Each structure stands twice: as C-alpha cells, then as structure tokens.
Amino acid sequence: MIRLIDFLLTRQRGVRAAFYGLAAAVVVWSLTVDTSHAHTWAERYLPGFWSLFGLLSAIVLIFVARWLAGAGIAQEEDYYDN
Amino acid sequence: MTTSGFFHPALMLIIGALILPLIREPFRRPYLVLIPLLTFINVVWLGFHQGVYGQVAFLDWQLTFGRIDPLSNAFAFIMALMAIIGTVYGLQERNVWQQVAAWFYVAGSLGAIYSGDYLSLFLFWEMMAFASTFLIWTNRDDQDAPAAGFRYLLVHTFGGLLLLMGFVMHYQISGSLAFDLLDYENARLSTWLIMSGLMLNAAVIPFHSWLPDAYSKASITGSVFMCAFTTKTAIYTLARACAGFDILIFLGVGMAIYGIIYALLENDIRRLLGWEIISQVGYMVAGVGIGTALAINGATAHAVAHILYKGLLFMGAGAVIQMTGRQRFTELGGLYRKMPLTLLFMVIGGISVSAFPLFSGFVSKSMIIAASYQEHLLWAGFLLTMVSAGTFLVAGLRLPWLIFFGDHRGDQQSFAAAADPPWNMQLAMLAAALLCFIIGTWYPLLYALLPHQDIAGSYHPYTGYHLSETLQILAFAGVGFVLLRHRIGARAATYLDLDWFYRRGGQVCLWLARHPIQWFDTAWGEAYRVVGLVSLMTTARFWSWFDWHAIDGLLDGSARSVRSFGRLVATAVQRGHIQQTIGYAISCIVVLLFVYIWL
C-alpha cells in the first residue's frame, strides 16, 4: 500500500488528470439519468446541476471560513493561557 | 430489578465496573470484553422482547426503568455495540479507573435511553455527565485537561439544572413525570426548559462550545467513548420529547453549517472531529425537528451510522496521537509511510461520513434530506446538501491530507516514533470499518432497526438519481479542494467561539474577586477581628473548656472517640483532591440510590 501511494505521488499530474476525467465522466453519465423525480425545476432542466452545486458549495464554505478567520475569530494559539 | 426476567443492562455494567478494580491480569482483559458482550446480548434479547419493565414505586411517583420500544431499542443497540468496540480499543489502557468511568458512562447512556420518566432519566443523565468528566481527568498527557474537565462538568451541570427545572415545572402543571412527547402547540416555559436541557447535551447552538473543548482534552480511549454517547443519547431524548418542534429544524441546519465552517479551519485533530460531530448531529436535530416518520427514521439511522464512523475516526485520531504524541496538524504530516493501516481506516471513516455510495453515510444521511424535501422544506434540503460537500472536504480530504500526506511538519522524534497502533486498537478500527461498509451495502440490516417499520421499506437509497447527485457533489467538492486546498491548510491558531464568554468571562469574575471583592473582604475581616473576635474568643474558650471537661466527662468521653475516628477517616478520604472527593461522593450517591430503589 505504501508503494502504491508512492507510485501515485510521483505521478501527480497523471492522477490529477485521471481525477478530472472521472469527474467529467460523472457529469456525462448524469445526463442520461432520469430526472423526473427531481424536487425543483433547476435539477430537472439544468444539465450537471449538482456538479455546479458541489463546486460552489466547496468554494463558498472555504471562502466563508477564511473570511471569518480574518474577521477576528482566529487568535494566537496560547490565547486562553495568558 | 429482575422482575419477569428483566435485568437492566445498565445495572450489569455498573456491577461490572464496581468489580473491575478487584480483577487482575490475566483475567482482566477477558473480563473487560465479557461484560460489554453480556450487556450487548442482554440489549439484543430485550429488543426481541419489547415492553415496559422495571416499574418501581418511589415516594409518590412511579418510575419506569425499562421502556423498550422500537425507538429506544435502536439507540440502545448501537450504544451497547459501541461499548464493546470502545472497550476493545482501550484494552491496553493501564489506568483501570478510566475503564470504570467509561462503563459508568455507558450505563448512564443505556439507563437514560430505557427510562420512561423524567426522574430516572435525570439520574442517568447526571451519571453520564459525571462519569464522562472522569474520562477527561484521566488524561495525564495534557496540562489543560483538569481545567477542561471542570468546564465540561460545569456546563453539563447547568444543562442538568435546566432539565430539572423544566420537568419539575412540568410536573406541577401536568401532575405527570412520564417522559413522552411534549405539546408543541401549547408550549410553556417548562417545555422550553426541558428542550434546552436536552439540547445542551446534543451540542445544539448556542449550547455547543463544550464539545470540541472537552473531546480534544479527553484521554485517547475517553474521547472514543465520548464521541458516541452524549450527543446521540440526547438525540434520542429529543426524538422522544421534541419530535416535530419546528425550531429544531433551524437550529439543526444552523449547527450543520456552523460546525463544518469551524472544522475547515481547525488545527487540532480532535477539535476538528468535534466540530464535525456538531455538524453531523445538526442533521439529526433537523430530522427530529421535521418530525415525520421518515425524518425520525433518518435521524435514528444517521445516529447509528454516525456512532460507527465517528468512533472509527476518533480511534484513528487516537492512534495518531498515541503513536506520535502530537495532535496538531502543524506538527503532523507525511505519516502514510509509517501508519498505512491507520490511514486506510481513517479514509474509510472519512468516506462513510461523506456519504460515499457503498458506505454507511450514504444510506442514512440522505433519508433526512429526503424527508426535508418531502415536507417542502427546500431551503433545509439544499443547505444540508451543501454541508455534505463540506463534510467531504473536511473528513474525506482535509483530515487525511494534513495527517498523512505532504511533508512532515513536526519534529523528527515524533515521526520516528510513529507506527500503526497495537493489535487491539487495529481490531477495534477494523470492526468499525467493516460495520460502516456492511451498513452501506446491506442497508436493509440497518433499516430493520428503525422505529417506523411501516415506512422503512419504502425508502430506497440506491436510485440512479441519488447516485448521480451524490457522485457529482463529491467529485466537484473534490475539484474545489484541489484548487483551493492551501487556503484550508494547517495554521497554528485558536478559533474563538462562544466558550469565550465563560473562559474569558470567568477571568473577569476572577479579577473582580481578586481585587475589589478581596479588598472589601480583608477590610471587613480586619474590623471584625479588632472589634468582635477578641471578646468572642474569650467567651468561646470558656465554654469549650466547660463542654470538653465537664459534659463529655459525664458522657464517658464519647466526643473524644468520635473526634479521633473522624480524624482517621478525614486523613484517609479527604486529602484535598477535589476530583477524588467528587468521585467518592458520586459513587456513594449512586450506590445509595440503587440500594434504596431495589431493596
């Protein structure tokens, strides 16, 4: 298992390309799925809606977290000790 | 308590815990496995013989110690199972009091789950709070552990008091102590107090700050126990008393988001996992707030799945902390070469919580989201789905990345010491990992445990649409991580939260006490000494002489013997260690209560 991870780590560019390929394949596959049970019109008619949603969620959460940290909730590590 | 073949599983663990310190190796390890195993068998047996047991008349009230129905059975089952896994994980632990505390803690949880009235619920509720405090105090590796233990105890005492006030007022109005669904339409102050008391244990905002604080300071085995029992027992009680309370939907969704944002920043492994508990428990609280049969089923299923994968993640974190002695991401990294099996188990835990297909979160979390869509709460459904993406960022990607990959950021000594943990810890992790996989693939097994069996069969997680939705979200949350991962890297910082008010607020009180109040006290004491004390002491000395020599002399010197005996007891028991004193006091109260009730 260590050797497998080492092998993958030395080929990071290839792994990343494979990952993007996989993500694209998921989107392509999702176009063939029956969306008649979807909850809203956006899910039904926007192709790859959940991909966009997942990406935006990740970006929004990370930026909100960093913004909060910058807005004052981040303090020195020994803040409560002194 | 053995009426009609009913022997309370909690009593079993309590007796087991009381005998445990007397048992030595080589019998101790088999005994450690045997007692939770017997408890588990007992719980399973009770699951097949549901009903109301252990009704006891206590003063004017009817106490019910054994209400076994589908809801309590599901929670008791997973608690008893986790007790086995946790005990196996902690087998190598030398400090026997830690295991005693852990079993009392599990007993409190099982007792609270099976209790059918507020009084016995309260008894077990407090037992959980006190026993789990000892799981923090037994951590000798962290200087801040005693203080964290006191903070934890104080917060939980406050929660217990809210619950106590709530049910006493409820009793005054309704004349009943029965622990059943509260009336939301005619909610009174007592309803809100009870709900707040239960909410505090579920770490619902704004009562959540104790969780990451305490769980990051507990002993390694202690945190594995704590992550399973307190919050999920509270979810059970909320599902029992507050199902369908709309306000819980808002609070639940709020804590799901709040928790995941802090988890994205956090630098301490177990604080990160603690924040994620808050986030995941948010799903369950929202499920309880929705309150439909599907939502309650979802909350129950998610609690079961959660206990297993979160236990697994805490076990992995504990292994890393035990082997390296470090728990900050800024001092870890690159450990995959040293701890490959721990990596594997933590990844399984991480993808289970992220709701990967084939793993447990996929079949449980989606049920709550489906219930929110079914009730046309679109905003709740979408926000909870957003948190799913965040969960994958945190537990599936950020956590393994910061521990196991990249360069090692700590000292060489801790890196050299790192290795996969002892066999018993690996075994416990393996069991939890397998259960995560089994539940995810063979989900009817989990669904057979759910409280609303009439609709349990009609929900199918593995539909094409759900699969495509989940895979898209996971894949693109992954893309987001690849692009932005350095923004959520390891940073040495403390992130302020609402505990600021009682940690810093406490310091303000301390300053007030030290300076103005102390000054006044000294001045007053001085005046008193000068004016009153001298004359008082003279009179007192005379009466003391008279009492000692004249009266005790007449009574055969009995006061003298009482005094010498008292001194003996005081030097043995009261050595000024407040933790020990609390421990003695609690054990006495528990033993006395049990003696009173059952004899």
Side-chain angles (χ1 to χ4, degrees):
Chain A
M1 198 171 121
I2 301 171
R3 226 178 281 159
L4 176 70
I5 295 172
D6 278 333
F7 176 81
L8 293 176
L9 282 180
T10 49
R11 289 163 184 75
Q12 284 198 18
R13 187 172 292 179
V15 172
R16 200 167 299 173
F19 170 65
Y20 287 137
L22 208 67
V26 166
V27 178
V28 172
W29 172 63
S30 77
L31 301 178
T32 67
V33 169
D34 170 29
T35 57
S36 58
H37 294 296
H39 322 290
T40 57
W41 68 268
E43 294 164 67
R44 198 170 301 167
Y45 300 116
L46 270 183
F49 169 78
W50 287 114
S51 310
L52 199 66
F53 186 85
L55 186 63
L56 280 179
S57 301
I59 293 171
V60 166
L61 284 173
I62 290 174
F63 275 96
V64 168
R66 287 313 316 162
W67 174 76
L68 271 176
I73 66 162
Q75 294 289 339
E76 297 297 309
E77 217 170 12
D78 54 358
Y79 175 76
Y80 285 116
D81 298 338
N82 42 40
Chain B
M1 202 78 202
T2 48
T3 45
S4 61
F6 173 69
F7 190 83
H8 200 303
L11 191 62
M12 226 161 164
L13 274 172
I14 290 172
I15 295 173
L18 290 175
I19 300 175
L20 179 62
L22 306 175
I23 293 180
R24 302 262 171 256
E25 291 292 2
F27 301 106
R28 207 158 75 86
R29 287 186 188 200
Y31 180 80
L32 276 171
V33 180
L34 179 74
I35 295 293
L37 201 62
L38 285 176
T39 311
F40 178 69
I41 292 168
N42 190 351
V43 167
V44 172
W45 185 85
L46 285 172
F48 285 107
H49 299 81
Q50 298 187 358
V52 178
Y53 302 94
Q55 288 188 310
V56 181
F58 175 72
L59 304 181
D60 290 342
W61 308 297
Q62 172 90 354
L63 303 189
T64 307
F65 283 90
R67 170 176 53 188
I68 294 130
D69 60 6
L71 186 61
S72 60
N73 178 50
F75 279 86
F77 175 85
I78 186 63
M79 298 301 180
L81 185 63
M82 189 61 207
I84 304 178
I85 297 176
T87 308
V88 169
Y89 183 79
L91 268 187
Q92 88 288 354
E93 187 60 56
R94 294 250 173 80
N95 183 354
V96 66
W97 299 108
Q98 188 164 312
Q99 280 138 348
V100 171
W103 283 3
F104 263 95
Y105 178 42
V106 181
S109 165
L110 285 174
I113 288 169
Y114 279 151
S115 62
D117 64 281
Y118 281 111
L119 212 57
S120 54
L121 173 75
F122 185 70
L123 165 73
F124 289 111
W125 199 255
E126 292 301 302
M127 188 154 116
M128 280 176 80
F130 281 105
S132 51
T133 306
F134 283 88
L135 293 175
I136 306 173
W137 280 337
T138 46
N139 184 11
R140 303 272 179 227
D141 301 328
D142 194 326
Q143 288 178 337
D144 196 30
F150 278 114
R151 286 197 293 274
Y152 175 82
L153 187 59
L154 286 175
V155 170
H156 280 274
T157 309
F158 173 70
L161 285 177
L162 289 179
L163 179 63
L164 181 68
M165 285 197 290
F167 79 73
V168 169
M169 285 166 72
H170 177 75
Y171 176 71
Q172 271 200 324
I173 296 163
S174 66
S176 159
L177 274 180
F179 176 45
D180 285 316
L181 187 62
L182 295 166
D183 186 358
Y184 188 56
E185 298 301 319
N186 304 304
R188 302 162 192 275
L189 181 61
S190 63
T191 316
W192 301 122
L193 283 171
I194 293 175
M195 189 183 86
S196 306
L198 303 177
M199 265 170 42
L200 187 137
N201 268 28
V204 178
I205 44 177
F207 302 129
H208 62 279
S209 306
W210 59 268
L211 193 149
D213 183 24
Y215 290 11
S216 61
K217 303 291 178 196
S219 66
I220 288 170
T221 317
S223 66
V224 172
F225 275 96
M226 290 174 85
C227 76
F229 294 96
T230 303
T231 47
K232 265 62 76 185
T233 306
I235 288 297
Y236 162 78
T237 54
L238 281 171
R240 182 66 81 184
C242 306
F245 281 31
D246 289 342
I247 186 172
L248 290 177
I249 306 174
F250 297 98
L251 291 172
V253 174
M255 67 196 269
I257 298 171
Y258 194 94
I260 213 66
I261 285 177
Y262 270 82
L264 278 167
L265 296 169
E266 194 52 66
N267 187 34
D268 180 300
I269 304 182
R270 291 193 293 180
R271 279 185 75 88
L272 177 144
L273 291 175
W275 281 114
E276 208 183 79
I277 293 183
I278 294 180
S279 176
Q280 294 299 307
V281 170
Y283 284 84
M284 299 170 218
V285 171
V288 169
I290 296 167
T292 56
L294 183 64
I296 295 292
N297 269 356
T300 311
H302 201 43
V304 172
H306 179 88
I307 285 176
L308 291 169
Y309 62 63
K310 189 57 68 167
L312 178 57
L313 285 170
F314 263 93
M315 288 192 272
V320 171
I321 296 167
Q322 170 149 323
M323 303 315 285
T324 63
R326 301 283 179 275
Q327 60 176 339
R328 296 195 178 95
F329 294 125
T330 38
E331 297 167 337
L332 292 164
L335 287 174
Y336 75 93
R337 274 195 200 92
K338 297 282 193 166
M339 312 180 74
L341 286 174
T342 312
L343 166 64
L344 179 69
F345 292 135
M346 282 192 91
V347 166
I348 291 177
I351 60 181
S352 298
V353 54
S354 319
F356 252 74
L358 298 183
F359 290 90
S360 58
F362 184 77
V363 302
S364 62
K365 191 189 289 185
S366 51
M367 212 188 274
I368 298 174
I369 297 177
S372 60
Y373 284 131
Q374 205 179 52
E375 292 301 296
H376 306 294
L377 297 162
L378 289 182
W379 63 272
F382 277 109
L383 285 176
L384 289 177
T385 312
M386 180 178 91
V387 175
S388 285
T391 310
F392 181 51
L393 281 182
V394 168
L397 298 168
R398 183 171 187 254
L399 185 69
W401 174 54
L402 290 178
I403 300 176
F404 296 101
F405 297 103
D407 296 325
H408 187 68
R409 293 176 289 274
D411 51 318
Q412 281 310 308
Q413 194 189 352
S414 67
F415 187 73
D420 273 320
W423 65 269
N424 59 307
M425 293 167 105
Q426 290 191 24
L427 180 69
M429 288 195 274
L430 177 69
L434 279 179
L435 284 168
C436 285
F437 179 68
I438 290 169
I439 285 178
T441 45
W442 194 20
Y443 62 90
L445 205 66
L446 172 67
Y447 290 2
L449 201 63
L450 298 182
H452 295 284
Q453 276 304 312
D454 44 329
I455 57 140
S458 59
Y459 180 74
H460 301 287
Y462 286 98
T463 60
Y465 186 73
H466 183 208
L467 272 174
S468 102
E469 174 190 334
T470 310
L471 287 176
Q472 287 183 66
I473 290 170
L474 291 174
F476 281 85
V479 172
F481 179 81
V482 172
L483 298 175
L484 295 171
R485 68 181 182 280
H486 293 294
R487 289 185 177 269
I488 49 172
R491 278 186 183 78
T494 299
Y495 295 97
L496 299 189
D497 182 35
L498 300 184
D499 59 349
W500 185 88
F501 289 99
Y502 56 81
R503 296 183 76 170
R504 274 292 157 119
Q507 287 172 356
V508 171
C509 284
L510 204 65
W511 183 86
L512 279 178
R514 272 203 191 129
H515 298 279
I517 299 177
Q518 179 71 53
W519 175 83
F520 178 74
D521 189 57
T522 317
W524 179 256
E526 188 63 21
Y528 183 75
R529 192 179 66 81
V530 172
V531 181
L533 208 59
V534 177
S535 57
L536 201 66
M537 280 304 285
T538 319
T539 338
R541 233 174 257 138
F542 167 72
W543 283 114
S544 157
W545 177 88
F546 179 75
D547 186 46
W548 195 246
H549 292 282
I551 297 184
D552 196 39
L554 289 176
L555 293 173
D556 313 325
S558 56
R560 277 168 224 238
S561 42
V562 167
R563 190 177 74 160
S564 60
F565 178 71
R567 193 172 283 161
L568 200 70
V569 173
T571 45
V573 178
Q574 296 185 332
R575 277 176 292 189
H577 291 175
I578 193 162
Q579 283 119 318
Q580 283 181 7
T581 312
I582 294 179
Y584 287 129
I586 303 304
S587 320
C588 284
I589 293 169
V590 169
V591 170
L592 280 176
L593 270 172
F594 275 98
V595 168
Y596 186 83
I597 292 168
W598 278 302
L599 295 185

